[in-house]
């Protein structure tokens, strides 16, 4: 029991040491260092961003304070350079007093470090106070500028990374991380050395425990001879079965002489002490406590001397007829057969079972107590739990062959390569090697080859189908492009052909309406002339819209965005539709005073506003009202056209914006309109970076919003009151156009 407990303790210790293996410890340490590095990187980025934010805020404050101070200096005649030096925030900052065109008038501060090209300065928009970041060849520069009262500007600049040019943040973090890494690496190296030493000790203890257990089971013991004290040390593994001692013990040569049979005393003394020399092994009878004699076998190395002598002692009880050398040889043979990974069975010359191993018995589920030497093949088959026919056919003696090699299917979906050969004495030896994994890999390889072949065939078929589909797609694409080109050419040609007679019709109608060459006569003629002129003008507007849409689809419409006065355009548009509103009995209200300037094409803005007003008047009944207002924010100006007409269902709003799309509620009443005006307005707003949106409720009316940017490339948005209800038309299927950018004249 004590030996078993010691063995269990050794296994537990080895398991605990293996649980903290160097590889696992290195993985945990690496994970900790990665997490620490991620934390340092996050902190590093945060501190760098704080420095950049601090620089931008200080520059903005310095620009505001400096502009106020410079305004006072210019008014009082104080030196501008001294004022700029006094408001300089410090660090690597530079202040520039700029003319309205962007030329440098005065500079102060770190101008040797901050070098901004003149072209970059002239490209800045000094009309709006702004903080910016310039990407220059020498590095990023943070700038802030403010316009002065006299039209000049003050610009403050500094390195965007840090205006005070402090040391890089990553240096401190790199030193800290390196120190922590070095300390952890040192601790881990020491721990690994200590754990390896402990593991070696634990495994040595486990090995020693197993070695002692093996010696005890085999009734065998090592012995050691001390030539100084002339004493022999024997372990309890040899002594306890003989009843001599329950623990390890040392015996003097006198005690050995008393224990050994007189006839074997000379052999025992020669083997144990080397006197006389020349004897290295022999059988020795040892006295038992009951008075009998137990046979033992002592052995040492033939090269052992009297000063260095050790060996082993075997208890031969129960093997009185077995020679020691034969017993040891049989034991070694059995150990060797059990240690091989293959199933092994040996039949003697009489075709009876001689030797086998546990793997052979396990394959056929034969209980170990049922197998005995001398059994015939039929008796062994009877003992088999499964596959007795396979055992008889492939594991028994051969009939008339010298050898056989074959692959055999075993129980449990396993396969074995069985090799049978005839021995020199006339028996048969059979060895079965497990080839299940090889067979499975071979089957898997064949299956993969079939799958790969099928995949290649499928890919080849798909490639052919794809090639055919691509060819058809190219053909259909060519036909669609040709159809689109033909349509655009037809519309353009037709529109030009129609405009020529329409101009004549409208011109002659105007002459007849004015009665330039005399009265028409009957009033009905005047009414007919008025209808002809109205219809001709309406048809001419439709033709102009078709021409514009054709240009947009072809990508040939050219806009010239610049800074324009929106209020003027809105008033002009109102005057153009005022008579139409009066004739229709619709009240037209305009409130566009002080509308800010926008960045857009004047003709396109006017066309969009006229289209929205025309739609509102067209679908507002007699006695209704149409209002035109403007609402501005920092980035854009929204033109709002609201009417009290019949309104549109929200589900039908999605149809608007495409050419020639009409909604039944709008156009079934009047029968006029082609739907192209709203599509043209949508395209023009898309081209100018604006937003066109509609919000409507049936029976209450419609609100149309057109938002224009106040600056070039500004991002616009709808007013808050209409964002939830509005259906945005722009931003979908925008056509390519040509835009010619121009600078607004100051």
């Amino acid at each position: 029991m004590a030996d078993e407990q010691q063995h269990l303790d050794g296994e537990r210790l080895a398991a605990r040491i293996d649980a903290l293996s160097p590889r696992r410890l290195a993985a945990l340490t690496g994970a900790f260092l990665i997490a620490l590095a991620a934390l340092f990187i996050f902190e590093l980025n945060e501190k760098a961003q704080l420095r950049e934010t601090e620089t931008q805020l200080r520059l903005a404050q310095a620009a505001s304070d400096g502009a106020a101070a410079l305004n006072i200096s210019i008014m009082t005649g104080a030196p501008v350079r001294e004022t700029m030096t006094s408001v300089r925030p410090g660090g690597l900052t530079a202040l520039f007093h700029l003319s309205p065109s962007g030329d440098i008038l005065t500079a102060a501060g770190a101008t040797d470090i901050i070098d901004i090209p003149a072209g970059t300065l002239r490209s800045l928009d000094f009309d709006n106070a702004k903080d910016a970041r310039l990407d220059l060849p020498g590095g990023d520069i943070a700038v802030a500028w403010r316009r002065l009262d006299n039209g000049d500007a003050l610009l403050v600049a500094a390195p965007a990374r840090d205006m005070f040019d402090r040391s890089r943040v990553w240096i401190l973090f790199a030193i800290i991380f390196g120190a922590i890494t070095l300390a952890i690496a040192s601790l881990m190296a020491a721990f690994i050395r200590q754990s390896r030493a402990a593991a070696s000790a634990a495994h040595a203890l486990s090995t020693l425990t197993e070695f002692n257990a093996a010696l005890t089971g085999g009734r065998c013991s090592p012995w050691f001879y001390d030539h100084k004290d002339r004493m022999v040390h024997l372990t309890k593994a040899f002594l306890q079965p003989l009843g001599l001692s329950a623990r390890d013990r040392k015996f003097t040569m006198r005690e050995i002489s008393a224990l050994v049979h007189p006839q074997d005393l000379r052999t025992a003394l020669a083997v144990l002490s080397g006197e006389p020399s020349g004897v290295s092994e022999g059988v020795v009878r040892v006295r038992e406590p009951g008075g009998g004699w137990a046979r033992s076998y002592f052995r040492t190395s033939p090269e052992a001397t009297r000063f260095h002598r050790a060996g082993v002692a075997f208890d031969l009880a129960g093997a009185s007829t077995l020679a020691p050398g034969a017993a040891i040889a049989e034991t070694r043979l059995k150990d060797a057969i059990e240690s091989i990974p293959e199933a092994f069975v040996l039949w003697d010359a009489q075709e009876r079972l001689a030797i086998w191993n546990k793997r052979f018995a396990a394959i056929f589920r034969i209980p170990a107590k049922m197998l005995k030497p001398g059994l015939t093949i039929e008796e062994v088959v009877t003992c088999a739990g499964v596959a007795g026919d396979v055992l008889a056919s492939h594991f028994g003696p051969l009939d008339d062959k010298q050898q056989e090699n074959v692959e055999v299917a075993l129980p449990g979906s396993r396969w074995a390569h069985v090799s049978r050969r005839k021995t020199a004495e006339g028996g048969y030896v059979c060895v079965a090697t497990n080839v299940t994994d090889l067979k499975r890999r071979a089957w898997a390889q064949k299956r993969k080859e079939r799958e790969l072949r099928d995949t290649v065939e499928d890919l080849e078929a798909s490639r052919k189908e794809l090639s055919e589909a691509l060819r058809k797609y190219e053909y259909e694409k060519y036909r669609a492009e040709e159809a689109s080109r033909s349509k655009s050419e037809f519309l353009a040609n037709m529109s030009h052909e129609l405009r020529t007679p329409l101009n004549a019709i409208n011109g002659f109608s105007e002459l007849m309406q004015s009665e330039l060459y005399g009265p028409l006569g009957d009033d009905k003629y005047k009414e007919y002339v008025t209808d002809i002129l109205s219809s001709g003008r309406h048809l001419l507007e439709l033709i102009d819209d078709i021409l514009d849409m054709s240009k947009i689809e072809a990508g040939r419409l050219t806009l010239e965005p610049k800074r324009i006065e929106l209020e003027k355009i809105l008033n002009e548009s109102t005057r153009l539709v005022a008579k139409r509103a009066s004739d229709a009995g619709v009240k037209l209200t305009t409130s566009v005073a002080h509308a800010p300037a926008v960045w857009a094409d004047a003709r396109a803005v006017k066309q969009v506003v006229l289209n929205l007003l025309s739609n509102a008047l067209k679908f507002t009944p007699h006695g209704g009202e149409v209002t035109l207002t403007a609402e501005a924010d920092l980035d854009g100006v929204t033109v709002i056209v609201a009417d009290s007409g019949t309104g549109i269902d929200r589900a039908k709003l999605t149809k608007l914006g495409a050419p020639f799309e009409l909604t039944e509620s709008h156009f079934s009443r009047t029968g006029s309109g082609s739907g192209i005006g709203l599509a043209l307005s949508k395209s023009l707003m898309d081209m100018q970076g604006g937003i066109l949106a509609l919000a409507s409720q049936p029976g209450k009316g419609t609100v149309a919003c057109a938002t224009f940017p106040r600056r070039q490339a500004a991002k616009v948005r709808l007013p808050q009151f209409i964002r939830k209800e509005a259906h945005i038309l722009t931003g979908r299927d925008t056509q390519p156009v040509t835009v010619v950018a121009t600078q607004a004249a100051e």
Side-chain angles (χ1 to χ4, degrees), residues 58-89:
R58 285 181 178 270
L59 291 182
Q61 185 63 37
S64 299
D65 296 344
L70 280 183
N71 285 328
I72 296 174
S73 297
I74 293 172
M75 291 173 58
T76 60
V80 173
R81 183 181 298 276
E82 294 180 1
T83 303
M84 293 170 61
T85 304
S86 63
V87 297
R88 179 170 172 263

Side-chain angles (χ1 to χ4, degrees), residues 207-221 237:
T207 302
L208 180 60
T209 303
E210 294 175 354
F211 178 73
N212 289 334
L215 292 179
T216 302
R219 304 176 76 175
C220 174
S221 167

Side-chain angles (χ1 to χ4, degrees), residues 52 124 133 159 249 253 287 335 477 488 599 624 714-715:
E52 292 181 3
L124 299 178
R133 184 172 180 148
R249 183 179 171 184
M253 298 308 294
R287 188 186 300 276
D335 290 342
K477 178 183 177 184
S488 298
W599 183 269
K715 294 183 179 179

Side-chain angles (χ1 to χ4, degrees), residues 452-693:
L452 181 60
R453 187 165 53 251
D454 294 340
T455 302
V456 171
E457 292 176 357
D458 293 341
L459 289 176
E460 184 66 23
S462 299
R463 186 186 66 81
K464 293 179 179 179
E465 294 176 358
L466 183 60
S467 299
E468 181 65 21
L470 183 60
R471 186 186 63 79
K472 292 181 179 179
Y473 166 75
E474 292 292 341
Y475 176 69
E476 294 298 331
K477 178 183 177 184
Y478 171 76
R479 289 183 59 189
E481 290 175 350
E482 285 295 315
S484 178
R485 184 182 61 79
S486 300
K487 177 205 68 172
S488 298
E489 290 180 357
F490 170 74
L491 287 176
N493 294 332
M494 180 192 71
S495 300
H496 282 293
E497 292 295 331
L498 290 176
R499 287 184 69 179
T500 301
L502 275 176
N503 287 331
I505 292 172
N506 292 343
F508 289 133
S509 298
E510 289 177 357
L511 290 176
M512 293 173 69
Q513 188 181 41
S514 64
E515 298 181 338
L516 181 63
Y517 298 108
L520 294 177
D522 198 307
D523 291 339
K524 271 293 182 180
Y525 292 150
K526 293 182 181 182
E527 182 180 347
Y528 291 158
V529 168
T530 301
D531 291 341
I532 293 171
L533 181 59
S534 176
S535 300
R537 287 175 178 174
H538 178 67
L539 186 57
L540 186 61
E541 290 177 0
L542 294 180
I543 293 172
D544 289 337
D545 290 343
I546 291 174
L547 284 175
D548 288 340
M549 283 301 300
S550 300
K551 289 181 181 179
I552 291 174
E553 289 182 352
R556 295 196 298 269
L557 183 62
T558 301
L559 298 184
E560 297 182 0
K562 60 183 178 179
R563 187 180 181 87
I564 62 174
E565 296 299 330
L566 182 61
E567 180 181 354
K568 179 180 178 182
I569 294 178
L570 295 180
N571 289 327
E572 291 177 357
S573 301
T574 304
R575 287 194 297 270
L576 289 175
V577 298
K579 186 176 184 306
R580 188 186 307 177
S582 177
D583 294 341
V586 177
K587 181 181 178 181
L588 178 61
T589 304
T590 305
S591 178
V592 294
H594 307 294
V598 296
W599 183 269
D601 181 85
R603 176 181 171 275
V605 172
K606 188 173 183 179
Q607 191 165 1
V608 170
V609 175
L610 286 175
N611 284 337
L612 297 182
L613 287 173
S614 298
N615 283 340
L617 294 173
K618 188 183 300 181
F619 309 121
T620 302
H622 187 275
E625 183 179 2
V626 175
T627 60
L628 174 65
T629 58
E631 183 174 323
D633 57 22
L634 295 177
D635 297 314
V637 180
T638 302
V639 177
I640 304 169
V641 178
D643 65 65
S644 58
T646 57
I648 312 171
D649 290 334
R650 183 169 182 82
K652 296 180 180 179
L653 286 176
T654 56
K655 296 182 178 180
L656 298 179
F660 312 107
E661 282 287 349
L662 307 177
T663 60
E664 181 182 357
S665 62
H666 263 60
F667 299 106
S668 60
R669 178 177 61 84
T670 61
S672 61
S674 65
I676 201 170
L678 198 57
L680 181 60
S681 300
K682 166 188 173 297
S683 299
L684 292 175
M685 293 302 295
D686 269 326
M687 293 161 59
Q688 299 177 98
I691 298 176
L692 180 62

